[in-house]
Amino acid sequence: MKLLFSPTSPYSSKVRMAARHLGIAIEEVRVNTAENPPELVETNPLGKIPALITDDGDAIYDSRAIMHYLHRVGGKALYPKKDKKRTEAEVLEALADGINDCLLAIVYEKRFRPPELVSQAAMDRQWEKVNRSLDYLDAHLPKIGKKLHGGHFALASLLGYLMLRFPGEWEGGRTALTEWPARFAKQFEAYPALRPKA
């Protein structure tokens, strides 16, 4: 299998960590989405990462679809068997991914719009969602037991992206949340190498 990814992408990070956890060998190919590389747009017409190409040549995207594919083909489960626990894991993943969506909207607003057209109001609206969600996570952090699941990897990738792009802007007063990555790294030693990096 081949994964088209970027090392800064939290969605790519989530998938890479899950594959490592499951022991699934994946050839990782870095791509720059801004350049619309043919291999990426022919795999995913949206031109987004991560995109997985299976051994049979099938294309799978977005990150959650890839996670569920890895769950099905992995030697061990990526999501809990019990319905209630699985729903909890999936909702945690959706929340973490949603926060990443907000963060990327802020990054893109600053990066791709001319300075005179950058909307502070738009960024403030995204930060409102981020702050509300981070406060919720700080008060409702998932336990890290013997079995990691997709929600854990989504949260780990989110916090890694915050550490990369927004250091000093999100931690204040959220002690439980800021301490969580170190606890996660004890359970998943590859985290420092696979979290989002420039």
Side-chain angles (χ1 to χ4, degrees):
M1 285 189 284
K2 182 186 294 187
L3 183 73
L4 309 181
F5 84 106
S6 166
T8 60
S9 162
Y11 314 104
S12 295
S13 173
K14 175 181 69 170
V15 168
R16 295 170 70 209
M17 286 190 285
R20 178 73 64 89
H21 172 67
L22 294 171
I24 297 175
I26 293 181
E27 177 189 354
E28 296 181 346
V29 180
R30 288 189 188 194
V31 294
N32 183 344
T33 57
E35 297 174 354
N36 282 330
E39 186 173 28
L40 176 60
V41 295
E42 289 168 8
T43 299
N44 179 358
L46 294 170
K48 292 184 175 183
I49 51 170
L52 182 72
I53 304 171
T54 70
D55 292 336
D56 295 328
D58 295 326
I60 302 173
Y61 50 87
D62 67 2
S63 67
R64 268 181 265 180
I66 295 172
M67 293 286 279
H68 287 280
Y69 176 78
L70 296 178
H71 170 77
R72 291 191 297 273
V73 302
K76 52 185 174 180
L78 188 57
Y79 295 93
K81 289 182 180 179
K82 293 183 178 179
D83 289 347
K84 186 175 189 304
K85 292 293 184 182
R86 177 159 184 161
T87 298
E88 289 174 0
E90 290 176 342
V91 169
L92 174 60
E93 183 176 6
L95 178 58
D97 285 354
I99 298 170
N100 278 322
D101 292 344
C102 295
L103 296 173
L104 281 169
I106 294 168
V107 169
Y108 291 163
E109 181 73 19
K110 294 178 181 178
R111 184 180 297 169
F112 296 118
R113 290 174 68 85
E116 66 275 12
L117 296 180
V118 170
S119 171
Q120 187 61 49
M123 292 190 292
D124 289 346
R125 173 69 175 144
Q126 297 300 332
W127 265 119
E128 180 183 340
K129 297 176 187 179
V130 169
N131 279 320
R132 185 170 60 237
S133 300
L134 293 179
D135 285 343
Y136 175 85
L137 284 171
D138 189 62
H140 302 89
L141 276 176
K143 295 179 181 178
I144 304 176
K146 293 181 179 179
K147 293 185 178 180
L148 296 175
H149 56 61
H152 291 125
F153 293 112
L155 178 58
S157 68
L158 161 65
L159 295 175
Y161 191 69
L162 283 165
M163 289 186 276
L164 172 66
R165 295 293 192 210
F166 301 92
E169 298 181 49
W170 64 276
E171 302 92 335
R174 299 184 179 114
T175 304
L177 199 58
T178 55
E179 291 177 351
W180 194 87
R183 291 171 44 217
F184 176 77
K186 290 180 180 178
Q187 185 79 354
F188 184 71
E189 294 181 358
Y191 180 55
L194 296 178
R195 73 186 191 196
K197 289 187 173 184

